[in-house]
Amino acid sequence: RFLAQKAEALGVEIYPGFAADEILYDDTGAVTGIATGDMGVDKSGAQKPEFTRGMELRGRYTVFAEGARGHLTKQLIAKYGLDAGRDVPKFGIGLKELWKVKPEKHKPGLVQHAFGWPLDSKTGGGAFLYHIDDEQVVVGFVVHLNYQNPWLSPFDEFQRFKTHPFFRDTFEGGKRISYGARAITEGGYQSVPKLSFPGGVLVGCAAGFVNVPRIKGSHNAVLSGILAADHLLDALSAERSHDELASYEAAWRASAIGADLKKVRNMKPLWSRFGTFIGIPLGALDMWTNTFGFSLFGTLKHGKTDAASLKPAKDCEKIAYPRPDGVLTFDKLSSVFLSNTNHEENQQVHLVVKDMALQKASEHDVFAGPSNRYCPAGVYEWVEEGADAPRFQINAQNCVHCKTCDIKDPNQNITWTAPEGGGGPNYPNM
């Protein structure tokens, strides 16, 4: 909000409530802009009385800053082969709550990080607590999405985390006031796709600039915006348009972003390969040697995609999560309520299942319906009632736009698309 005010004071136009829905190309295949989604289309695809056609926004260059697993970025990577020669992308899901705590529990400026519990040693993840102003505490929990057990629920692991004796005292007597969730890029240095293509560039988490051990990406997002702007200014000053900004792609690894990510490039692969108790010490050692300019491991590969990491349910132990108490731990639906999520109900479902038969034969029959657990908002259900049971039900109005389904579905059978503009969560102070 602060930066938006600064940008508008400089003449930047911001269009909240309008989702970028389509990429525009010229006859040569160069990007020329985007189109916003149509408004007023019902579930059947018919135009309602209030139908409004989307707008085309065209420019000499288009900067894509969609965050992790952006639906347009995903199309650009496929169209231009931007992932050629790169390692597979990796992601985590971050869940966050904002609490109003008792004055005596509040320590302004305190930052706490944790990893491990309640996750098992094979599952990566961690947590953070930030004491901000007005007696508020932000608590977050991240689960790496290459976990293997389809019975695992990141949301319920987060709720269990808050019960740890070291942290639960912070929340006693307090009140939860907001909730949200979002995918996080975790591939790092070796997974960053090519950032330039004819007519545009990728920046921020669309490019995958998160520093995993620091649980931090805002710094590199800002730096990538500055770096892209410098190269765009040169191009615009030279009266160029719709060509490839190759100088930006060539510059990022030698920039502060590249230096930041290169030092930590092996933390995620080591953690995934050797687990928490061995992988993290090895990663810390590698980060230390990288401060002197060398690595004992070189640059490690990530291996499988997050979608391919799940094991069949029969090969994994079922996890019994405790019932929420409504005081410290909560259920998904009451949490979604606090996210202020809202979608126009009579609109086309924005979560597209390509093959419903495959969803039943694999996601349900082999993996025991993990979508019901990896989704932090109760969007997906396997309903076991009636003659057509089991039936895959999508409660799209609950969607908090985290993109986890687009990442973790074992068959990559679910595609997240932009809902009607203005829909989704409305996070206060998150």
Side-chain angles (χ1 to χ4, degrees):
R1 288 174 296 185
F2 171 81
L3 289 175
Q5 293 173 355
K6 296 292 185 182
E8 288 181 320
L10 292 170
V12 174
E13 297 180 11
I14 299 175
Y15 300 98
F18 293 88
D21 186 61
E22 179 186 355
I23 305 169
L24 304 177
Y25 302 96
D26 65 15
D27 293 339
T28 69
V31 173
T32 59
I34 61 94
T36 64
D38 294 341
M39 309 279 279
V41 179
D42 68 19
K43 288 183 178 181
S44 67
Q47 297 178 7
K48 295 187 285 188
E50 66 272 23
F51 173 78
T52 305
R53 179 70 69 188
M55 298 182 295
E56 291 189 359
L57 299 174
R58 295 182 177 270
R60 290 162 65 181
Y61 296 95
T62 305
V63 180
F64 290 82
E66 294 184 285
R69 197 64 166 195
H71 71 295
L72 298 184
T73 301
K74 181 180 171 183
Q75 296 175 34
L76 291 167
I77 291 172
K79 178 178 176 63
Y80 295 111
L82 302 180
D83 55 353
R86 284 8 186 223
D87 204 352
V88 297
K90 304 295 285 184
F91 299 91
I93 178 173
L95 304 107
K96 185 192 283 188
E97 292 177 351
L98 181 65
W99 283 70
K100 180 88 168 181
V101 301
K102 297 177 71 173
E104 61 269 25
K105 311 279 189 181
H106 189 239
K107 301 175 182 178
L110 177 65
V111 171
Q112 296 170 295
H113 284 166
F115 59 85
W117 193 90
L119 301 171
D120 62 47
S121 63
K122 295 180 181 179
T123 304
F128 57 86
L129 276 78
Y130 302 149
H131 289 241
I132 58 176
D133 57 3
D134 195 27
E135 298 169 0
Q136 295 180 104
V137 173
V138 175
V139 55
F141 193 77
V142 177
V143 178
H144 299 178
L145 284 175
N146 61 351
Y147 66 83
Q148 299 177 352
N149 188 341
W151 299 106
L152 185 144
S153 165
F155 175 88
D156 291 298
E157 297 290 347
F158 176 34
Q159 299 307 309
R160 285 208 296 184
F161 164 77
K162 292 181 293 179
T163 67
H164 193 285
F166 190 80
F167 296 108
R168 71 176 302 147
D169 180 66
T170 300
F171 307 108
E172 288 183 351
K175 181 181 180 181
R176 189 178 69 147
I177 57 179
S178 192
Y179 165 81
R182 188 67 172 89
I184 302 169
T185 55
E186 293 188 340
Y189 189 81
Q190 53 270 63
S191 295
V192 174
K194 184 180 179 184
L195 303 180
S196 62
F197 44 88
V201 294
L202 306 179
V203 298
C205 288
F209 287 145
V210 170
N211 183 317
V212 171
R214 295 177 69 186
I215 324 178
K216 183 179 179 184
S218 297
H219 63 314
N220 286 335
V222 172
L223 289 173
S224 69
I226 295 171
L227 183 65
D230 288 340
H231 291 269
L232 283 164
L233 179 59
D234 291 341
L236 294 172
S237 298
E239 299 297 326
R240 291 162 49 193
S241 65
H242 304 142
D243 61 338
E244 183 174 339
L245 210 66
S247 59
Y248 167 62
E249 160 63 20
W252 82 265
R253 290 187 191 274
S255 72
I257 305 167
D260 183 57
L261 295 183
K262 189 173 183 180
K263 291 178 183 177
V264 303
R265 67 190 183 280
N266 291 324
M267 173 59 82
K268 169 73 172 171
L270 288 167
W271 196 346
S272 299
R273 188 174 304 178
F274 296 106
T276 299
F277 298 120
I278 297 176
I280 287 184
L282 286 176
L285 173 63
D286 188 67
M287 288 164 57
W288 179 73
T289 63
N290 268 279
T291 61
F292 300 103
F294 73 96
S295 169
L296 298 172
F297 304 101
T299 298
L300 297 175
K301 295 282 190 179
H302 290 298
K304 296 178 180 179
T305 65
D306 295 328
S309 65
L310 278 181
K311 291 183 176 180
K314 66 180 178 59
D315 298 334
C316 300
E317 183 178 353
K318 196 169 184 178
I319 303 173
Y321 291 104
R323 293 178 63 86
D325 60 19
V327 178
L328 178 62
T329 61
F330 302 90
D331 62 21
K332 288 182 181 179
L333 293 184
S334 66
S335 300
V336 172
F337 176 79
L338 289 181
S339 71
N340 297 299
T341 295
N342 182 58
H343 295 89
E344 168 61 44
E345 289 197 24
N346 187 20
Q347 65 171 289
Q348 292 183 295
V349 174
H350 67 280
L351 303 161
V352 180
V353 180
K354 288 177 282 189
D355 185 341
M356 197 61 77
L358 175 63
Q359 204 68 11
K360 163 65 172 64
S362 179
E363 206 261 351
H364 179 272
D365 294 355
V366 177
F367 298 100
S371 57
N372 179 251
R373 292 176 288 278
Y374 64 59
C375 174
V379 170
Y380 301 103
E381 293 182 89
W382 282 101
V383 180
E384 304 283 352
E385 301 173 345
D388 58 347
R391 174 173 54 86
F392 195 48
Q393 179 167 302
I394 301 176
N395 305 307
Q397 67 273 20
N398 288 1
C399 180
V400 295
H401 301 186
C402 73
K403 313 292 182 68
T404 304
C405 55
D406 198 292
I407 298 164
K408 190 60 178 174
D409 180 80
N411 303 292
Q412 292 291 272
N413 196 33
I414 300 175
T415 299
W416 191 97
T417 64
E420 192 169 285
N426 183 16
Y427 298 135
N429 301 320
M430 287 286 280

